[in-house]
Amino acid sequence: MRGRASSLRRSQLFQGFPVSNLDDLESQSIYIFREAFNRLENIAMLWSLGKDSNVMIWLARKAFFGHVPFPVVHVDTGKKFPEMYAFRDHYAKAWNLNFISGTCPPIDEIDPSLPPAARSAARKTEGLKRLVETHNFTGLFAGIRRDEQATRAKERFFSPRGEGGRWDFRDQPPEFWDQFKTDFPPGTHLRIHPLLQWTELDIWRYTQRENIPIIPLYLSKDGKRYRSLGDQDITFPVDSTASTIDEIITELETTKVSERSGRAMDHEAEDAFERLRAEGYM
Amino acid sequence: MSGLKDMLKIVMVGHVDHGKSTLVGRLLHDTGSLPDGRYEAIKAMSERRGMPFEWAFLMDALQAERDQGITIDTSQIWFKTPKRDYVLIDAPGHKEFLKNMITGAAASDAAVLLIDAHEGIQEQSRRHGYLLHLLGVRQVAVAVNKMDMVGYSEERFREIERGYMAYLASIGVKPTFMIPVSAREGDNIVEQSAAMPWYDGPTIVGALDAFASVTKPIDLPLRLPIQDVYKFDERRIIAGRIEAGSLKVGDELLFSPSNKRARVRSIEAWNTSSLPEQAWAGQSVGITLDEQLFLERGEIASHAAKPPVETDVFLGRIFWLGHHPLKVGSRYKMKLNTFETQVEVQAIKHVIDTGDLGESSAEQVERHAVAEVVMRARRMIALDSFSTLPRTGRFVLVDGYDIAGGGIISMEGYADQRSLITVASTNVTRVKHEITDTLRAERNGHHGGVLWFTGLSGAGKSTLAIEVEKRLFNKGYQVYVLDGDNIRHGLNANLGFSPEDRAENIRRVGEVSALFGRAGIIAITAFISPYRSDRDRAREAGGERFHEIYIHADLETCEQRDPKGLYKKARSGEIKDFTGISAPYEPPESPELTVDTSRHSVDECVDQILDYVDRHFSLSGQRAVREIRTGSR
C-alpha cells in the first residue's frame, strides 16, 4: 500500500512530465521552427500533402501557438492523385494557411540524361527553383527524414543551397549543440528540416496520438496501400492489409520493406537519387 | 500505445580506415535490421567496382565515398535490440572531415571508438578520444577491430588495451568496455567469438545494451534561454527551451544579464484541454509573465536563488575548425544557446597536443587544434561553467558566415561579476550637492581624480605611489594613496582571497577612489588589479576623472626583485593563483600613461607621472600649483 501511495504522489507531482520519445522529437522540431523563424527573413514551408508534411504543419502550429506565421507552398506537378488535391483544398482553408501554389515546367525542359522517373521528378526541382526566385525565399522548411534514404541520412537540420538550389554534400557546415548555420552569402537559401530525426514509425505514432488528418490512400484497399505519395505515374502501392493507423504501426514494427520501394525514381540507377538531390530536389 | 521505449544515440569514431562504417553494416545485418534487398544492393555495388563485399557501402551513400572508399560525411541509421532502440551515427575518421566527425559525435549519448589491431593507436584515435571528452560524451566502449588480421592474438589486444587505457586515463575518461572484434568477420559483434576464447567480456551489442540511459537534467537549477517573444494575438509569449531544471506557474524568474524579474503567469500550449502547471528540461515552452517586461532573445531565465554567472571574460577550452587560424586580438561572433555577442580572443593560454597531451604556448591556433583561450566580450554574458551546467556552459564561434569552432567554459580563477553590477538598494534618491567641482578645483588649484596604478607584483606600484604622493604634496596638491594596507585592514577587512572577494576588493577601491576624486583630491591607488573587467568598472565609477597608469616591468624583472618573497612562494606552490605565475595578468589596452620601471629609474618614472599630473590636473597646465597660488596673491 505504502509503495502505491508514493508512486501515486510521484505521478501527481510529475503530471505532464514528458516521458515519450515523441515528446523529445516534438520539442526538438519546435526548437528548429522557432530558430528559423527568428533568424531568417523570408521563409516558407513546403507542403507535399503527405503524412510527413502534415505532421510538419501540426508542429508549426504547436511552435507558434496555433498560428502558421509564413506561407505554405505546394509545388504542383499537376500529376498528383485526386485525393491529394481534395485534401489540399480542404485543409488549406480549415487550417487557415497562407497558401501558395507553384507550377512545374513541362518534361521537355528537363535534363534528358536523367533516367525517366528521375527526370519526371526533376520537374519539381525546377518548379521549386522558380518559386524561390519569384518570392526571394531565404529559407524553406522541407519534411524529409534521415531514415527514408541514405543521402538524406547525411543531411543537416539547416542545409545551405547555393546558386540554383544546389546541395554541396561534399562540404556541409558543421552542426552541433543546436547551433545552426544561419549566416550565408546572398544567393544562398536554406533548407530547414524539422523532421530530420523522425522515423516513419514516429510519424505514424504521432499522427495517431495527435489525431492529425491523413489522405486515405495510405490505408489498405484491396490488399494494397501507398506508403509514400508522389506523382501518380511514378508512385506505386505496396502489398498491405493495414487499413487503420493502428494496423500501419503494427505493420511497420516488423516490416523489412523499405518505405520508398514504391517510388520509381529511387531505383533506376545507383546514384539517381543523389543526382536529383544535388540539383536541389528535397 | 508505444513510443515509450528507451532510445540511445551511439557514435562510431576512430582513425580513418579502422572500420567504423564496416562495423555499422555488420551490426545492422547481424541483428536482422537491414531492409529487404539492401544486402543484394550492396553486393551489386561492390561487384560493380570489382571489390569483395563492402559493408561500408550501407552508410557511405555518396558516389564519391564509395569510389574513394572513404567516409566524407556523418550519417545515421536506426536499429533495435530487444532492450531498446538505437540510432547509430557513423562519423568520418579522416582528419580532413573533422567538422563532420564533430557534427556526428556531438549528437550522441555514447560512443564506440575503433582501433585497428594491426595498425594500432593512430593520430585520430587519440584526437577523437579527446574530443569525445570535450563534447561531454562520457560513455565510451573501445573496440579493437580487425583482430582477424593479427591472428586473434590476445597479446596484441592487451598491448593496445594498455596503451589506450593509459591515454584515456590521462584525460579523465574511463572506458566502459574494451572489446576485441572483427567487424568484417562478425567476431564479438552480436555473437561471442569462437576464435577468441580468451575474451569473456561483452560483445558490441552487449556493450551497447549495458550503456546507461540518458536522463534529463531536471534536478539542476533552472535555465531557460529566451528564443523569441511572440505577439501573434493578445498574448505576449516568451518562447524557449528549458535546458535544465523545471518551472511552475507562479515562480519568480530572474532574467540575466538584464537582471529583470517577473512571475510566470501561465505556461501556454496549443491543442490541449488544459494549460500545464509545470514544465521540465527538454521541453520547448512558451510562458506569459505577470509584468510586461522588455525582454530580448538571449536572456536566460532562472530562479533568483541559483542564477547563472555574469561575466565579460571567461576561459574556453576550444576545438578550432576555421580555415584561418585563431589569433590573439581576433574578433568572432559567439553563440551561447540563443545569446550572441562579439568576443575577442584576449589570450591563448596554450595549445594542447592531443597526441601526447603536451601543452605549448602559441601565437595562434591552427585548424583542427585544441586550445585553451581567454575570451572577452564588451558586455556582460550570462553563462555557466561546463562542469556545473553543461548546456549553458558551451559556445560556438562564428567567423564570417561559418561556424569555426566550439568550446566549453571554465570560470576557474575568474569572478562571478553578478554581485558587482547589481544595485541591491533601490530606495535611494540622489541629493544634489551645492559645492560644484569647479568651486573645489578653484580652491585647490587643481582638479580631483584617480591615478589608478596597475601592474605585476614587484613592478614598483607602491614605491612609485609613495614617492609621487610626496612630490605632489610638496607641490601643493591634495593627494592620498590607497593601498592594501589602509584598505584591507579597514573597509575590506571582511574580504578574503577568492576570485569573488578579490573582485569585490577592487570594486570598493574603485568606488572609494572615485569619491576622493569627486571631493577634489587626487587619489593614487596601488593594486595589482590584474583583470580588465575590474579596472573597467573602476573607470566607470571614476568617470572622466579616472586615469589608468600602467606600471610596467616584465615578469623576469619583477621576479628578480621579489621584494616580499612572494614569487618564490608562488613558484613553490605555497601561494596559489599568484598573478603572473599561476593566474593571469591582463595588461591595459589603452592606459592614459605607461611607465616602464625595468628601463627607467624610480626618479625618471616619478618625473613622467608628475609631468602627466601637471598637464592634466593643474588648473594652468605646466605650471606648478604653488606658483599659481603665489601668482594670484
Side-chain angles (χ1 to χ4, degrees), chain A residues 10 13-24 26-28 30-35 37-39 58 61-67 69 146-147 150-151 153-156 167 169-186 196-199 201-202 205 208-210 249 252-254 256-258 270-271 274, chain B residues 1-5 7 9 32 34-36 38 45 48-49 59 61-66 71-76 78 80 87 99-100 102-103 106 135 216 218 227-228 230 232-233 235 237 239-241 268-271 278 280 282-286 297 319 321 333 335-338 340 391 394-396 398 401-403 405-408:
Chain A
R10 191 174 166 80
L13 194 67
F14 282 79
Q15 196 160 45
F17 182 69
V19 281
S20 144
N21 179 34
L22 293 179
D23 292 318
D24 291 347
E26 178 190 77
S27 178
Q28 185 195 33
I30 290 175
Y31 190 82
I32 291 165
F33 266 116
R34 290 176 175 173
E35 277 304 278
F37 182 63
N38 183 280
R39 306 316 289 165
W58 202 261
R61 296 169 86 196
K62 285 221 172 187
F64 305 111
F65 303 95
H67 306 265
R146 281 189 170 129
D147 76 323
T151 62
K154 292 192 177 266
E155 267 288 3
R156 300 288 190 260
W167 180 43
F169 51 78
R170 281 187 187 79
D171 188 20
Q172 297 200 77
E175 190 170 78
F176 51 93
W177 298 340
D178 287 337
Q179 295 294 356
F180 308 111
K181 183 181 165 80
T182 50
D183 303 290
F184 46 84
L196 202 56
Q197 204 60 21
W198 295 58
T199 64
L201 200 49
D202 295 328
R205 283 176 179 153
Q208 186 196 48
R209 184 180 100 172
E210 301 284 320
I249 290 171
L252 292 179
E253 278 168 346
T254 52
K256 293 184 81 177
V257 177
S258 86
E270 187 183 308
D271 64 342
E274 177 179 337
Chain B
M1 189 75 201
S2 39
L4 295 169
K5 233 172 135 190
M7 154 76 83
K9 297 185 196 120
L34 286 182
D36 284 348
R38 203 80 182 104
M45 291 175 194
R48 207 170 296 142
R49 289 171 178 78
M59 298 298 272
L62 308 174
Q63 289 294 304
E65 294 182 313
R66 292 186 187 129
T71 304
I72 293 173
D73 210 335
T74 180
S75 183
Q76 305 196 0
W78 279 251
K80 58 186 170 195
V87 177
K99 66 178 164 67
N100 299 337
I102 285 170
T103 301
L135 292 167
K216 298 229 166 58
I218 55 170
Q227 196 174 5
D228 214 335
Y230 300 135
F232 297 122
D233 39 45
R235 297 168 295 178
I237 299 176
R241 183 172 59 196
E268 294 296 320
W270 174 73
N271 199 35
Q278 194 168 2
W280 288 269
Q283 287 184 296
S284 285
V285 298
R297 175 180 159 96
F319 48 86
L321 304 169
K333 180 159 82 182
K335 294 187 180 185
L336 190 152
N337 297 109
T338 57
E340 282 187 22
R391 296 185 70 99
R394 59 195 191 187
F395 63 94
V396 302
V398 178
Y401 297 121
D402 300 318
I403 290 180
I408 61 178

Side-chain angles (χ1 to χ4, degrees), chain B residues 4 45 62 75 79 86 141 158 249 291 313 342 352 361 371 376 384 389 408-409 446 456-457 488 508 566 615:
Chain B
L4 295 169
M45 291 175 194
L62 308 174
S75 183
F79 96 113
Y86 290 96
R158 298 293 172 206
V249 171
E291 272 182 73
V313 60
Q342 196 83 9
I352 300 154
S361 57
R376 172 171 295 274
D384 288 290
L389 259 152
I408 61 178
I409 292 168
H446 65 84
L456 290 170
S457 175
R488 276 276 184 186
R508 291 186 195 174
L566 296 174
R615 279 189 286 115

Side-chain angles (χ1 to χ4, degrees), chain B residues 169-183:
Chain B
S170 65
I171 55 174
V173 176
K174 200 173 170 290
T176 322
F177 301 103
M178 287 289 272
I179 312 165
V181 305
S182 168

Side-chain angles (χ1 to χ4, degrees), chain A residues 203-211 245-246 249, chain B residues 1:
Chain A
I203 292 290
W204 283 114
R205 283 176 179 153
Y206 191 73
T207 301
Q208 186 196 48
R209 184 180 100 172
E210 301 284 320
N211 206 11
I245 296 183
D246 269 332
I249 290 171
Chain B
M1 189 75 201

